Amino acid sequence: MPWKEYQLSADHSAELQTKGWRIYSAIAEFYRLQVRVPAGLNLHSEWTLEMSATLRKRMPTAEVIYPRSLPACNGAH
């Protein structure tokens, strides 16, 4: 396959840089949550965690990664 030369325009370069920073921000931003479970929860429970509507509009393909099951609580904490 013959080599082809490609010239990156300033506009396209700026667009790629903006997209790159968005991807980087999505990967690099972590949020720590503290979850309080109901008293007396003594079985594993399934739960869901969703992004706000505003954030979902800004990043429609983003996924929230978290444990889907809450362990039973022994009440010691």
Side-chain angles (χ1 to χ4, degrees):
M1 173 185 274
W3 289 92
K4 294 184 180 183
E5 193 171 311
Y6 178 77
Q7 290 251 301
L8 182 62
S9 70
D11 288 343
H12 194 217
S13 176
E15 180 183 346
L16 288 173
Q17 186 173 11
T18 298
K19 287 180 180 181
W21 277 113
R22 283 186 190 150
I23 292 169
Y24 170 80
S25 295
I27 293 169
E29 278 186 38
F30 291 97
Y31 295 94
R32 184 176 178 169
L33 300 175
Q34 183 175 13
V35 177
R36 294 184 185 186
V37 296
L41 181 68
N42 52 10
L43 299 172
H44 271 68
S45 296
E46 298 296 318
W47 70 305
T48 58
L49 181 64
E50 298 292 329
M51 292 190 299
S52 68
T54 304
L55 186 56
R56 176 59 63 198
K57 285 179 187 174
R58 210 175 87 205
M59 298 169 47
T61 59
E63 292 187 36
V64 180
I65 300 171
Y66 65 98
R68 301 295 197 250
S69 179
L70 290 175
C73 181
N74 64 10
H77 292 29

